[in-house]
Amino acid sequence: MDAFEPIMAAAGSGGTPDAPRLIRALSQARGGNRIRMLESVLANVGDAVLITDAEPINQPGPRILHCNAAFTAMTGYTEAELRGRSPRILQPPGADRAQLDLLRLALERREAAEVELLNVRKDGTRYWVKMSIVPVHDDFGTCTHWVSVQHDATARHQPEAAEAQASGTESRLLQAEVAERRRSEARLLHAAYHDSLTRLRNRASLMDHLRDVLERGRAGGPRCALLFLDLDGFKLVNDGLGHRAGDLLLMEVAARLQAGVRRSDILARVGGDEFALLVVDPDDPLQAAVQAAERILAALQPAFVLDRHVAFASCSIGIAQAAASHREPEALLRDADAAMYAAKTRAPGSYAVFDAAMRRAAVSSLALQTDLRHALARQEFHLDYQPVSDPGTRRLLRVEALLRWRHPTRGLVPPATFLPLAEEIGLIRDIGRWALHAACAQAAAWSSTHPGLDLHMSVNVSGVELRDPDFFAGLCAVLDATGLPARRLQLDITEGVFLQRPDLAGAVLSAVRATGVQVALDNFGTGYSSLGHLDRFEVDAIKLDRSLVARMGEQRRAMAILDGIVRLGLAMNVDVVAEGVETEDQLHTLRVLGCTAVQGYLLGQPMPPAELASRFGGTF
């Protein structure tokens, strides 16, 4: 029996078939979500619900964290009066010691219990309560909270004669209350098993059905396969067009998916832009799953109209067929998820069928994520510096700080591998702050050892960092701590910083430039709205993307675009820096076009500070 089933029993579910399924759904929530789900879903249960801390069991007793409206109506206290206090305030002198001892024993053993207690309301009146209490555990099995559901049992303790005189009106009121409770439970059951935005089943419902199908499959029943879907480029729509457009896209995607699945299949939204499809087939579930994937990819090809915007959306799909090793639903979902990532890496908008190599890749990715969390504390990051030079004289103008991660066993991990991962797991702010401080400190140190050197430092800053409320204060603190003049620092940003909250990004950049720090728009010429950003936001420099430089000798159109950008930059009194310069012909062409600075392997590869310092005063 699930540990949460006594809640519904105490709430008057009366053993209805779907009640245990609701409680299983609630119990599947993880960590803090479990308590929040209990609070929201049980808010409308007719009986009184109380949630407390697990400790202390002794005086003064566990603190009350949440109670629903039925509990406040029963006791006469408001939730504000109860929050933070112990349930012991409801115990009158002379309470039944045997029942209290039974309750205490259950608390000490972290076990569910059911007792009847005499309580006292705020106004001093006494009443009997039948209480069911169950423990709530975290992901590590530790009891963190208690949830109790209480039903007024005063009538059962009154003389039988008084009970026999209950009027017909009271009986009808009771019947109405029971009917309303059943309707409320039906609404709660639907809410617990369905996604409020798309109206599809939710993760809890999917896992419940998947568990049942796996059990039937082990008993010789029909086999199944699971498809895991992740929308490609959803973040771009959500950030670029707004959250309403993102919600509309999710609803439209759900409608197209629903129209293309069989009646026997289970479709669910399991995350923000993630969906799953459970395919049950007695003959060949894998083939049925592949056919479903092909129908889904075809259904998503036409454009989506989102209010006044037109958007396109594809998805990457992972397919995993249930096997004997999939004892739990989470195992099959994990393998389908790994296959989805393989599909997204291979070719977004495609599907992949799970194999053992994908599991090894998923384990390796998880290990890399774990190592990345420790890399900063273990001082595994360092900065290399690449020269930025005058295209005519090759004189050193500035250096760009480039982050490197030397893993103790993997060696150098490419930035393209670990930087997106750092953003995904929320480490990019800490890593970026370290890099900014280290680069400024190095520039200040070079100035100290080479007093005549007026060297400027460029540091890359991501959109996540720029949207950090503490970014500007942190930048000022770094300049104060290192002593580097603000005019000698340049922040390199990409147009991606403007995709979410462009007003906020613009305000932060204005404040940055007001201190004297320069701002450069990196990878210029590759984004769909680079010119628009250059018009709307003031910057000090634009850095031509290396792809333009690589193509300028082979494609006339690339040369024309490059020439136009350089002329535009010079007309706007903005420095134009060309990246990726690898040949003398490229250097000559860029000098003729009028670029103010160049950067690339021809002039110097990224190098350690000591190697770069040995070249100060010379040319490259």
Side-chain angles (χ1 to χ4, degrees), residues 187-203:
R187 290 193 296 269
L188 292 172
L189 182 63
H190 186 275
Y193 272 91
H194 289 79
D195 173 54
S196 60
L197 178 66
T198 63
R199 306 300 181 185
L200 298 179
R201 294 180 181 274
N202 60 12
R203 186 188 186 96

Side-chain angles (χ1 to χ4, degrees), residues 319-506:
I319 303 173
Q321 182 176 356
S325 60
H326 297 117
R327 306 295 299 178
E328 296 295 331
E330 290 79 8
L332 186 60
L333 184 64
R334 176 201 63 205
D335 288 350
D337 187 28
M340 182 276 295
Y341 274 107
K344 190 178 289 287
T345 301
R346 188 180 308 159
S350 65
Y351 67 85
V353 178
F354 175 80
D355 59 34
M358 295 176 186
R359 180 176 293 153
R360 291 192 295 271
V363 171
S364 176
S365 177
L366 181 61
L368 183 66
Q369 181 182 128
T370 301
D371 291 344
L372 184 57
R373 293 184 183 278
H374 298 296
L376 195 57
R378 294 172 180 171
Q379 300 181 344
E380 294 171 0
F381 290 115
H382 70 273
L383 296 178
D384 281 345
Y385 300 89
Q386 186 172 29
V388 180
S389 306
D390 183 290
T393 65
R394 303 196 182 195
R395 181 175 60 86
L396 181 65
L397 300 175
R398 66 174 62 245
V399 295
E400 180 179 355
L402 298 170
L403 183 65
R404 300 289 185 258
W405 177 21
R406 185 175 296 280
H407 189 278
T409 58
R410 300 172 187 260
L412 278 175
V413 182
T417 297
F418 73 82
L419 286 177
L421 183 60
E423 286 201 18
E424 181 181 338
I425 63 178
L427 289 179
I428 194 66
R429 291 182 179 88
D430 292 338
I431 295 174
R433 195 169 297 144
W434 175 87
L436 180 63
H437 188 280
C440 291
Q442 182 62 71
W446 279 330
S447 295
S448 177
T449 55
H450 299 76
L453 186 68
D454 187 30
L455 190 65
H456 291 231
M457 176 67 69
S458 294
V459 180
N460 292 282
V461 175
S462 70
V464 175
E465 295 173 78
L466 205 64
R467 290 190 294 271
D468 183 355
D470 297 327
F471 174 79
F472 181 72
L475 171 65
C476 295
V478 166
L479 294 174
D480 288 343
T482 60
L484 182 69
R487 66 175 183 82
R488 289 175 51 196
L489 175 63
Q490 176 177 289
L491 302 184
D492 292 353
I493 63 170
T494 65
E495 69 173 2
V497 305
F498 301 114
L499 292 180
Q500 185 177 8
R501 296 293 307 277
D503 53 338
L504 175 61

Side-chain angles (χ1 to χ4, degrees), residues 214-234:
L214 291 176
E215 290 176 356
R216 294 202 305 270
R218 286 191 289 269
R223 295 173 298 159
C224 70
L226 186 67
L227 290 78
F228 191 92
L229 294 68
D230 182 85
L231 295 185
D232 302 315
F234 175 74

Side-chain angles (χ1 to χ4, degrees), residues 36-48:
R36 288 192 291 273
M37 185 179 286
L38 283 171
E39 290 180 4
S40 60
V41 174
L42 294 177
N44 296 318
V45 171
D47 290 319

Side-chain angles (χ1 to χ4, degrees), residues 77 506 538:
Y77 289 95
E538 291 190 9

